[in-house]
Amino acid sequence: MNTRDALFGVQPLRWLLALTLLCLGTLTPNHIGAQEQVTPRYASGQVDIHNPNRVDVALVLAVDVSSSVKSHERRFQREAYAAALSDPRVAGMALGGGSGRIAIAYMEWSGRHYQRVHLPMRIMSTPQQIARFADDILAIEDRTADPMYVQPTAIGNALLAAEQVMAGLQVPARDYVIDISGDGVLNDGTGILAVRERLLAMGLTVNGLPIEVAYGQPNADQLSFDRVSRYYEDCVIGGPGAFHLVARGFNDVRETLIMKLMLEMADMRSEEKSRIASAWNGGNDSTAPRILPANMIQLAPNGGSEPPQRPRSDCGDTRVSSANPFMIVP
């Protein structure tokens, strides 16, 4: 090949094609390649205790406002988060760690293109600062004719957006936690298993707050009442010390949140958190009362026999399109 061919012929076209493919890859952050190498970004449990700028827990609260959540339930959720953060037991646990500081963000989400960060990462070191954060949640109002509230449930995209919120934290943390709530399973957007694998490889922990709501009478095609909590357990949560706490309807969100926030902020072994969470989730009737936040540090009894085996949830990643193996078919 002569000099003219090298400058104006086939070789430049190859470079142009390679550059185009590279740009296309960088323009689709929600499309996760199966062979993509993920660099650990968060190091839970490895913070330098001598760093005066550290926080004990970095927490992103990701709240479901998809179409199944009605307007009064959206309002009730915000009131529940504000009330839980204002609870003195939560503030005491949040500020009782080695650094006496915590970082929290609050976002809401629905469909694949709808994630809204209402309160970016905020570092707090006093009960008054936490109370102001709670007031800011309480001040959030629905927007008129907002398309966000008529969207399906894109949990995978919500988790990717929550990770971007976490990336805005400029100081190290003992624990990095995304706390995602929802009253339904994934039916839109990026597949959850690929997203979870990516976030866990980054070093994040994903905890869940499934909200079990009975809409009408179940029929032969519906799963049992606890399908959402099973889905969160099988498909959503993961990472160091991961757990989920079940809210038995929207009226139970506030008390469940108080326990959940305390447990997320507690500096204890992951197996201890798991035992407490299991006791809470199992206490859905009068014969098995749930552990109260006031005595949460008292570990739950082992509970005797192992729970019966059950089939794992369909995480939704089997319903894919040929164009993008990680995108759920609408």
Side-chain angles (χ1 to χ4, degrees), residues 251-269:
N251 289 335
D252 194 35
V253 170
R254 178 182 175 276
E255 286 301 317
T256 305
L257 266 173
I258 291 174
M259 167 61 85
K260 192 165 188 294
L261 291 172
M262 292 179 67
L263 201 52
E264 284 170 333
M265 296 168 185
D267 186 9
M268 63 171 60
R269 295 192 301 272

Side-chain angles (χ1 to χ4, degrees), residues 45-75:
Q46 300 181 32
V47 65
D48 180 4
I49 62 172
H50 301 295
N51 187 334
N53 296 319
R54 75 188 190 280
V55 297
D56 291 313
V57 179
L59 180 64
V60 179
L61 302 172
V63 181
D64 179 10
V65 294
S66 59
S67 59
S68 60
V69 182
K70 309 309 178 188
S71 59
H72 68 279
E73 292 169 339
R74 291 194 295 270
R75 186 63 193 169

Side-chain angles (χ1 to χ4, degrees), residues 234-252:
D234 294 342
C235 309
V236 179
I237 69 170
F243 66 91
H244 72 290
L245 288 189
V246 182
R248 307 291 172 176
F250 283 93
N251 289 335
D252 194 35

Side-chain angles (χ1 to χ4, degrees), residues 208-212 229 244-249 252 256 277 280-281 290:
L209 178 65
I211 305 170
E212 295 289 2
S229 57
H244 72 290
L245 288 189
V246 182
R248 307 291 172 176
D252 194 35
T256 305
W280 177 274
N281 293 334
R290 297 185 296 189

Side-chain angles (χ1 to χ4, degrees), residues 39 63 94 113 125 157 161 166 169 178 194 257 260 264 293 307 314:
T39 302
V63 181
H113 301 301
S125 59
N157 296 80
M166 184 73 76
L169 182 66
I178 295 174
L257 266 173
K260 192 165 188 294
E264 284 170 333
D314 175 10

